Amino acid sequence: MDTDLSIVLDRAAATPLAAQIHGALRQAILGGRLAAGARLPSWRDLAAQLGVARGTVRVAYERLMDEQLVVGMGAAGTRVARWPVPDLAPVPPPAETLPMAAFFHDFEGTPLTFQMGVPAQDAFPYTQWSRVLARAARTAAQAPVGYPDPRGHPELRHAMAAYLAIARGIQCAPAQVLVTNGYAGALNLAVRALGLEGRAAWMEEPGFPLTRTALSLAGMRPVPVPVDAEGLDVAAGVVAAGDAALAVVTPGQQAPLGMTLSLARRVALLDWARHTGAWVLEDDYLSELQLAGRAAPALAAVDHAAGGAAGGNARVLHAGTFSKTISPALRLGFLVVPASLAGHFGDVAACLSPAPAAPVQRAVAAFLAEGHYLRHLRRMKRLYAARRATLLRALDGLLPVRATAGLSVVVSLPPGTRDTAIANQALAFGMAPVPLSPWYVAEGNHQAGLLLGVTNLNDRTLAADCGRLADLVARFG
C-alpha cells in the first residue's frame, strides 16, 4: 500500500460499517490525501486492520469502483483512478422563482377570488370523479406491459371524436385526434409538426400572453393583429404579415374580450389560409361552455367539411383542453388535425411529444362515455351564469364593466392606471384579478383593465372583495 489510512469506525452508529469505510476512502480520494495511482490495501489487510469481515471491505471497494474512483488491477491491487471526480466546493442553491412569474402567482394552491383559468373548487363532482379515476387506475395497472399509443389512449380518442361531433360539429375520425399535455402541448406539437420555426404567426391583439411567449420560444415571430366587434381583423393581418405561416385565433369566445368571430371574418380567414398555404390554430379554450345561448360552431367544423373526404384542402387545427371544464391539474389537452396530416402528426408525437399517462386518459374517456362530463358542463353553465350575474350586481356603481367574456368580467380602468400593481396588491387580500395591459403588445395599444374570473366567488364576501378592489383602483389610478 502506498499510503497509510486512518479510518475510525463507530460500531454503535446506525450507518453500516461498509458505508463508513466507503465514506472515509471517498473523502480521502476527493480531498487529495490519496493521490491518483495510490494503491489501496487488499481486502484482507484492511479487514484485519479494522477488525471487520473481508466481505465488508469488498462492499466498500465495489462501491468506489462503481463511482469510478478506484480501479481493480488484478495482481497490481486496487488503485486510485487517474481521473478522480474533483471535490467541488458547495454551491448555494439558486433563488426559487416561479416559471412565468409575471402571469402565475402560485401553483397547486386553492383558487383565489377572481382567479381565471380554474373551475369552481366547491362544485366539482369529487366523489364521482374519484370513483372513475380509481377504476381507471386499476384497469391501467392490469393492462399489458407495452408502449402506449403516443397519440393518446384509443378509448379517449374515440370518446373525443364522438363528443366533438355532437358538441362542436367537428366530423373527425379518432386517428385525427391527438391527446396532448394541455394546450401548451398542442401548440408545441402543431409548430413542430408543421415546421413553422422562423416564420411569422398572427396573434390576436389583445391576446393570451402565454401563447405569444410560447410562439416566440418555439422560434416563431408573433405579429399582433387587432380585434374589433367581429373578432380578428383579417384584412389588418394581411397588411401586417400577409406571408404569415400561422394564425392563432379564439373564434368561439375571443380571449380576453369575448366577442365571437363573425361569419364574414371566418370566411376571410379560411380564404387567406387556403390562398397562401398558411395554417389556422383554433384555440377552443372553453369548448361549449358558453354561458348565454349556444356556443358558436367550431371553425374546424366548416373547414374540415370543405376540405374534402381526405382533408387535403383543410387548413384548421382544432386545439382544446380539459383545464377549464374538469381541472388544470390533469394537464390534458387535445389537437384535431386534418385527415391528410394525421399520419405525420402521429409520427411527430411518437418522437417528440407523446401523450400523457394512461390512467388519467382512461378516466377522462370514461367520464365522457358515461355521460358525466356533459351533465357536469350543464351544471357548471348554470352555476357560472348565476355567479357572473351576482358579480355584475356587486360591481354596479363601483367599477365600469367593459365586457362579459367567457368565464370572466372585463373591468375598464382609466388610462395610466397601473393594473399590474393592482393585481399584485390584491393577492394580499385573497384576490387574483388578471391585469389586462399585458395582453397587448403593440406600441400605443395597451389598455388598462382587470379580468375578473367568475368561477370561484364567495357570496358572503363578494361585496367586500369588490369594495377592496375599487379602493386599490383608486389608489393606483
Side-chain angles (χ1 to χ4, degrees):
M1 181 182 71
D2 296 342
T3 305
D4 290 330
L5 295 174
S6 177
I7 299 176
V8 179
L9 299 180
D10 183 358
R11 287 174 165 78
T15 305
L17 295 177
Q20 294 184 46
I21 296 170
H22 163 265
L25 291 173
R26 186 178 191 277
Q27 186 175 15
I29 294 171
L30 295 179
R33 288 188 290 111
L34 283 176
R39 182 176 179 178
L40 301 184
S42 67
W43 298 350
R44 177 181 296 179
D45 291 344
L46 188 56
Q49 177 184 330
L50 298 177
V52 298
R54 282 182 292 174
T56 301
V57 177
R58 178 180 60 81
V59 170
Y61 278 26
E62 288 178 347
R63 184 171 174 185
L64 291 170
M65 291 179 186
D66 291 341
E67 295 172 345
Q68 298 185 355
L69 293 176
V70 300
V71 179
M73 305 181 68
T78 302
R79 295 182 179 270
V80 176
R82 294 285 178 184
W83 46 88
V85 178
D87 188 18
L88 299 177
V91 178
E96 179 72 19
T97 57
L98 291 177
M100 302 298 294
F103 305 106
F104 296 105
H105 62 84
D106 189 17
F107 291 110
E108 302 186 25
T110 302
L112 302 181
T113 300
F114 303 137
Q115 186 170 340
M116 289 178 58
V118 288
Q121 178 81 25
D122 60 343
F124 187 72
Y126 293 103
T127 301
Q128 183 65 62
W129 174 249
S130 298
R131 291 171 182 162
V132 172
L133 190 60
R135 187 172 74 239
R138 288 193 299 270
T139 302
Q142 297 167 359
V145 178
Y147 286 100
D149 191 327
R151 300 169 299 174
H153 194 274
E155 291 180 7
L156 179 55
R157 291 190 293 115
H158 278 80
M160 283 303 308
Y163 166 75
L164 290 170
I166 296 172
R168 308 300 291 126
I170 302 174
Q171 301 298 322
C172 63
Q176 295 173 246
V177 180
L178 297 102
V179 182
T180 64
N181 283 279
Y183 168 69
L187 178 60
N188 176 65
L189 180 59
V191 173
R192 299 305 180 203
L194 296 175
L196 303 181
E197 296 87 345
R199 304 287 301 279
W202 290 2
M203 267 289 301
E204 294 170 328
E205 174 79 350
F208 191 34
L210 267 67
T211 296
R212 185 186 309 118
T213 303
L215 290 172
S216 296
L217 292 173
M220 299 199 73
R221 179 172 59 87
V223 176
V225 178
V227 300
D228 55 24
E230 294 187 65
L232 183 79
D233 188 340
V234 178
V238 172
V239 172
D243 61 346
L246 179 70
V248 182
V249 295
T250 52
Q253 301 179 66
Q254 199 275 334
L257 301 182
M259 70 281 290
T260 298
L261 188 64
S262 69
L263 177 59
R265 295 283 176 83
R266 290 174 183 240
V267 171
L269 180 61
L270 294 178
D271 286 346
W272 165 78
R274 289 171 185 151
H275 178 71
T276 63
W279 299 97
V280 177
L281 180 67
E282 177 180 23
D283 178 4
D284 197 28
Y285 67 103
L286 283 181
S287 186
E288 64 164 325
L289 201 54
Q290 178 85 32
L291 300 190
R294 291 185 59 83
L299 184 64
V302 177
D303 176 63
H304 289 194
N313 198 33
R315 309 306 300 175
V316 176
L317 291 79
H318 181 91
T321 174
F322 293 99
S323 295
K324 313 294 187 299
T325 53
I326 299 180
S327 170
L330 297 180
R331 294 304 305 154
L332 203 64
F334 56 90
L335 184 67
V336 182
V337 302
S340 60
L341 297 177
H344 174 61
F345 268 74
D347 292 343
V348 175
C351 296
L352 297 176
S353 187
V360 171
Q361 292 190 64
R362 288 177 181 268
V364 174
F367 208 62
L368 282 163
E370 296 170 12
H372 307 305
Y373 184 68
L374 287 175
R375 287 193 293 271
H376 173 60
L377 285 185
R378 285 195 293 268
R379 289 194 299 268
M380 292 303 98
K381 284 183 183 181
R382 293 192 295 269
L383 175 66
Y384 294 157
R387 289 185 174 178
R388 185 172 70 179
T390 302
L391 175 58
L392 291 173
R393 288 194 296 270
L395 292 172
D396 188 30
L398 287 177
L399 294 170
V401 173
R402 175 177 177 180
T404 56
L407 301 182
S408 64
V409 171
V410 185
V411 171
S412 294
L413 299 178
T417 302
R418 292 176 291 164
D419 54 3
T420 54
I422 294 171
N424 289 332
Q425 291 294 317
L427 294 172
F429 299 98
M431 301 182 294
V434 174
L436 178 62
S437 60
W439 294 62
Y440 292 88
V441 66
E443 289 293 331
N445 278 0
H446 291 236
Q447 298 181 28
L450 294 172
L451 306 173
L452 310 181
V454 305
T455 57
N456 289 278
L457 301 178
N458 187 328
D459 289 342
R460 296 188 301 274
T461 64
L462 184 57
D465 290 335
C466 291
R468 292 191 189 96
L469 196 60
D471 290 341
L472 289 173
V473 170
R475 175 182 171 189
F476 290 94

